[in-house]
Amino acid sequence: RDAMREITKSQEIKNLWDKKAENFPRFGEFKDEDSPIFEYFSKDGEIWKDKVVLDLGCGNGRYGLFFATLAKKVYMFDISSKMLENVANDAKKIGFNNVEILCDDWSNFETKNLDVDIVFASLTPALNTFENFKKAYNLAKEAMFYIGWGRIRESKILNEVFKSHDDNQVILPNGAEFVCECLSKMNANIPETKYIKKEITHEKQLQKAILDISWQLEAHGIKPNVEIIEKIVKKYTKDGITKY
C-alpha cells in the first residue's frame, strides 16, 4: 500500500509539472535575470570545463543548457516528460551533443550508474526531504550548487486567492535555510549564503493568469475554485491583460 501511494504521489507531481511546462522559463529567455546567477557560480571560469554536471530538477533547461556550453557533459534530470521534451528540442536546435535526458522521480532514482562532478539544483521540490538532499550531495564529487527560496515570498494576488480557499496561506517552500539544516545534520561545511531580493511582474491574458494561479493552488495541494479565482483575477485585469 505504501508503495502504491508513492507511485500515485509521483504521478500527481509529474502531472502538475507537465502542466507548467508550457509557461516555464526556457534557455535564453531571461538573459538579464539569469546573468548574475551564472556569474555567481562561474567565478572561476574553469569550474565547468571538462566536468560532468547533473542539473537536478532542470525544468525547461534554463540553466543546464548554459552549462552545456562549458561542461563536458550535462545530465538534465526532471520528473516532467513535457519539460524534458522542451529541453531535448532546444538542445537539438542549438546543436548540443553533450546533453543526456533523465526522466524520473528523484526519490526513486538509482544513482549508482552516474559519475558526476557537479550537482546543480534550482528551486526544485526534488530536494524537499533530508534523504533526497543527502543523495544529491553525496553524488557530487567536487561541488554542489543550490538556488532556493530565501526568507520571504509575497504576492498580493496569491494571498487573496489562497485566503478565499478556506483561509489558506501561501507557504514559503523549502529553500536555503532547509539546506543549511541538512548540511548541519550531516556535519558538512555550511558555505556563505547569498540572498537576492527580486520582484517579478507578470502580464498575462486573463485565462492564462487564471491557469497560472490555479496551478499555484494545486502545487500547495489545494483544489482550485475557478469561479472564485476568476472573480479575484478580474480585479487585476485591464483590456484583457492581467498584471500582478
Side-chain angles (χ1 to χ4, degrees):
R1 288 181 182 178
D2 287 343
M4 184 60 71
R5 271 197 295 269
E6 283 300 315
I7 291 169
T8 303
K9 183 181 177 183
S10 181
Q11 187 61 43
E12 287 173 357
I13 294 170
K14 178 189 180 305
N15 293 342
L16 184 69
W17 287 99
D18 278 348
K19 282 185 185 179
K20 193 70 171 174
E22 183 183 347
N23 299 311
F24 212 58
R26 291 174 81 153
F27 175 63
E29 288 184 349
F30 297 89
K31 289 181 181 177
D32 292 342
E33 185 180 317
D34 293 338
S35 290
I37 300 294
F38 295 143
E39 287 171 10
Y40 183 74
F41 289 117
S42 302
K43 289 174 184 174
D44 177 356
E46 297 294 305
I47 199 166
W48 306 99
K49 189 178 179 182
D50 298 325
K51 297 297 191 292
V52 177
V53 180
L54 170 68
D55 185 351
L56 177 54
C58 67
N60 277 340
R62 176 179 185 172
Y63 297 115
L65 291 180
F66 166 77
F67 302 139
T69 66
L70 305 167
K72 178 182 177 181
K73 182 173 185 175
V74 180
Y75 290 106
M76 307 291 280
F77 187 101
D78 206 278
I79 196 171
S80 167
S81 56
K82 295 284 187 184
M83 295 273 196
L84 291 172
E85 188 178 320
N86 291 335
V87 172
N89 288 336
D90 287 347
K92 184 178 180 181
K93 192 187 302 179
I94 299 165
F96 288 136
N97 57 12
N98 60 339
V99 171
E100 184 171 334
I101 303 296
L102 298 172
C103 187
D104 208 336
D105 183 333
W106 182 246
S107 299
N108 305 322
F109 183 70
E110 179 55 66
T111 62
K112 65 182 179 182
N113 294 323
L114 285 188
D115 187 21
V116 173
D117 299 308
I118 298 171
V119 171
F120 176 87
S122 172
L123 298 173
T124 174
L127 299 183
N128 271 0
T129 68
F130 171 71
E131 290 76 17
N132 281 3
F133 178 82
K134 185 178 179 182
K135 182 177 179 179
Y137 182 86
N138 288 337
L139 180 65
K141 291 190 296 185
E142 294 187 15
M144 180 173 180
F145 299 146
Y146 177 83
I147 302 171
W149 288 97
R151 294 167 289 200
I152 192 167
R153 182 190 187 194
E154 289 288 351
S155 168
K156 185 178 178 183
I157 192 170
L158 284 185
N159 287 344
E160 192 173 343
V161 169
F162 273 67
K163 191 169 179 62
S164 72
H165 286 65
D166 297 325
D167 207 28
N168 275 290
Q169 293 182 330
V170 181
I171 298 170
L172 182 69
N174 281 346
E177 292 186 1
F178 172 73
V179 165
C180 289
E181 288 173 10
C182 291
L183 291 170
S184 178
K185 194 172 180 179
M186 292 187 294
N187 294 317
N189 178 52
I190 299 176
E192 174 192 359
T193 303
K194 180 178 177 64
Y195 289 98
I196 300 171
K197 184 177 179 181
K198 184 168 67 173
E199 184 172 318
I200 303 170
T201 300
H202 297 285
E203 292 189 25
K204 300 185 178 183
Q205 293 180 339
L206 175 63
Q207 291 305 316
K208 284 200 169 183
I210 292 169
L211 286 173
D212 180 48
I213 289 167
S214 297
W215 185 91
Q216 295 287 346
L217 287 165
E218 288 184 79
H220 282 69
I222 303 165
K223 186 176 181 181
N225 184 317
V226 178
E227 288 184 10
I228 291 175
I229 295 169
E230 183 173 5
K231 186 176 179 181
I232 293 170
V233 170
K234 278 184 174 178
K235 295 192 293 183
Y236 296 81
T237 305
K238 185 178 180 181
D239 299 327
I241 300 297
T242 308
K243 188 175 180 179
Y244 57 99

